[in-house]
Amino acid sequence: MIDEMTALGFTASEARVYVALLKRPEATGYELAKEAGLQRANVYAALEQLVTRECVTRIAAASGPARFLAVPPADVFGRIKRSTSRRADALIADLARVAPPPAATSFYTLHSLEAIIDRVASLADTARHRIGVCAWSDDMDWLAGPLRAAANSGCQVVLNLFGETSLDFGEVYQHESPDRTVAGHVLTMVCDSSTAVIANLGAEPSALCTNQPAVVQVVEKLIRDEAYLAAIYATHHSELEETYGPHLVQLRRKLLPADQADNLVSIVGFGATDLDRDPFRQES
């Protein structure tokens, strides 16, 4: 908590005093020094700053030393959140006027999971009409919040979800669990039919972001086709598996690269007799 508060502009002493005061409401400076493990001079200096910043209030006492009370965290950090948001919005507008017009099309790559998460969340935050996503259920730990906020603002959210999780927003199309996928941990996203992200979230994360129209259209079609397949499979899975085998292995192994096809067969656990059956062969 101390580290997070210092990242928001508090000194380490101010952060420690504020946390100590939450633990001991209406404490004196002497009591806070003992609680926070700080010199009294440092505590009083921190208290003065916290009072000035309206994070702490001083309680007038008829006699004895002054006592202090922490302003509730929701008030303190809600105010900081709103102020930071206003500053960020103003900077976005001001810096956009300084920067040259963007290129007609652009490609750029990201090489860390943190950068990918930040970019995806930023795109979800700025989307106004439609977001399409293919993602694993594990990704919902960080992705559900931005997508829910977009949905609550009126944006259509279409989500192809690989794995099980409970979501209370969007149009969710359920797919197989991640342990039955053979292409690795991939995430695709398109916002407002104008920007696409293609990300590998595996051991060495990387992503391509672009507004190139042809690429955006291909990624959007991929996400849409995944939704079509999930809807069709949910209704007709018995007939499809009777024709193409469990997990549609007969169909998929004809189109996958050889190593991925072998991996798929091992995941599904097909027998040799099943593999010899070819649903595409025309009977004479």
Side-chain angles (χ1 to χ4, degrees), residues 65-115:
R67 294 184 176 274
F68 299 88
L69 185 66
V71 175
D75 294 342
V76 173
F77 296 100
R79 184 171 66 245
I80 293 173
K81 179 180 179 180
R82 291 188 295 273
S83 175
T84 302
S85 179
R86 287 194 298 269
R87 287 194 176 100
D89 288 342
L91 277 171
I92 290 171
D94 292 343
L95 294 173
R97 288 192 289 269
V98 173
T105 59
S106 63
F107 293 86
Y108 61 94
T109 56
L110 304 170
H111 298 287
S112 72
L113 182 60
E114 292 79 7

Side-chain angles (χ1 to χ4, degrees), residues 10 12 14 35 67 94 99 101 107 112 114 138 157 165 193 231 241 266 273-274 278:
F10 292 84
E14 291 167 359
E35 180 71 33
R67 294 184 176 274
D94 292 343
F107 293 86
S112 72
E114 292 79 7
D138 293 348
V157 176
T165 192
S193 299
E241 292 199 349
S266 67
T273 302
D274 293 315
D278 185 353

Side-chain angles (χ1 to χ4, degrees), residues 10-33:
F10 292 84
T11 68
S13 294
E14 291 167 359
R16 290 170 67 178
V17 169
Y18 181 80
V19 173
L21 195 52
L22 286 173
K23 296 178 181 178
R24 296 195 61 173
E26 301 188 20
T28 65
Y30 173 76
E31 292 167 341
L32 290 172

Side-chain angles (χ1 to χ4, degrees), residues 166-185:
S166 178
L167 297 175
D168 57 358
F169 63 89
E171 301 168 24
V172 180
Y173 293 88
Q174 195 69 50
H175 291 260
E176 64 214 10
S177 62
D179 60 5
R180 285 183 170 268
T181 62
V182 294
H185 191 171

